[in-house]
Amino acid sequence: MKTSLLILQLFLLSCEFKTDSKTVESKTEFEITDQSIGKIKIGNSFNSVDSLFKEIKIENTESEGIFWPIKTVQLDGGHWIVIESLNGKEITSVETNSPHYKYKSIFSVGASLNKLIKNDMDISVFSDLGGIEFILIGTHLTFKIEPEMEQKYFDKGGEFPETLDFNAKIQSIKLIK
């Protein structure tokens, strides 16, 4: 009798493990962590993303006379993922405008800044001639808001947090090394 009970318990544990394994796999496919967006991990080989997607557009980008390669993946619904490599060898940043990718189940494209504040996430802002970029304090994540809300922020004087409309929605999320 004890042997049968032990075998039954082991069987149930193995079934539970398999179910949990599938759940973890589906969560990580669209999970944002401090090291990855989905299956794209910072520091991995730049070529490692080639096996993850059917079609990838490869091009060079430039800033202040410095060029580096980027790979763009077009997703359904007009969404995209951009993978950058400042040295041409390893992934140094990943950016997406897809709402499917989530950080801690609350931070995603389309979420409002209010949602971040209500969930005790601290943000800071960096602005330059290219616009404003928000930083999620304590992470390697940055994000941008809708262009019209960004313009409204600058029209009111560009003082953080006084002139920021916290109903603004996140337009893209970027993970940097």
Side-chain angles (χ1 to χ4, degrees):
M1 178 78 167
K2 288 184 180 180
T3 306
S4 298
L5 185 58
L6 180 61
I7 291 172
L8 179 62
Q9 286 176 329
L10 289 172
F11 174 75
L12 290 175
L13 281 173
S14 70
C15 289
E16 190 174 274
F17 179 74
K18 287 178 185 169
T19 303
D20 286 345
S21 170
K22 287 180 183 174
T23 302
V24 168
E25 185 178 308
S26 65
K27 281 183 183 176
T28 57
E29 185 176 350
F30 293 107
E31 182 179 36
I32 297 173
T33 70
D34 289 336
Q35 295 296 315
S36 64
I37 291 184
K39 295 179 180 181
I40 307 168
K41 188 173 181 181
I42 294 291
N44 277 2
S45 163
F46 189 52
N47 292 329
S48 68
V49 298
D50 296 350
S51 63
L52 298 176
F53 304 99
K54 290 179 184 176
E55 291 186 40
I56 298 175
K57 181 180 177 183
I58 302 170
E59 54 193 340
N60 282 313
T61 191
E62 179 266 337
S63 178
E64 299 180 15
I66 300 171
F67 293 84
W68 64 93
I70 63 170
K71 294 182 178 184
T72 304
V73 178
Q74 292 299 318
L75 305 172
D76 291 338
H79 299 117
W80 44 258
I81 298 174
V82 174
I83 303 110
E84 292 182 290
S85 176
L86 293 177
N87 61 14
K89 296 177 184 175
E90 67 179 356
I91 298 169
T92 53
S93 73
V94 183
E95 183 175 12
T96 186
N97 71 342
S98 171
H100 298 295
Y101 294 91
K102 296 186 182 342
Y103 179 75
K104 295 187 177 182
S105 300
I106 50 173
F107 176 51
S108 64
V109 169
S112 71
L113 297 181
N114 276 326
K115 188 173 184 180
L116 297 179
I117 302 303
K118 288 178 185 174
N119 285 284
D120 296 324
M121 294 186 160
D122 293 327
I123 58 173
S124 182
V125 65
F126 172 78
S127 65
D128 64 11
L129 296 176
I132 57 175
E133 196 155 353
F134 294 87
I135 302 161
L136 192 58
I137 304 293
T139 72
H140 293 270
L141 295 169
T142 67
F143 60 93
K144 295 180 181 176
I145 60 172
E146 308 151 292
E148 58 275 7
M149 295 302 256
E150 183 177 317
Q151 187 60 51
K152 187 175 167 184
Y153 169 77
F154 283 118
D155 290 347
K156 289 183 172 182
E159 294 296 322
F160 180 78
E162 294 83 9
T163 62
L164 182 64
D165 183 342
F166 284 90
N167 291 312
K169 301 225 182 302
I170 297 168
Q171 184 173 7
S172 68
I173 298 173
K174 186 173 190 176
L175 176 63
I176 54 174
K177 184 173 181 178

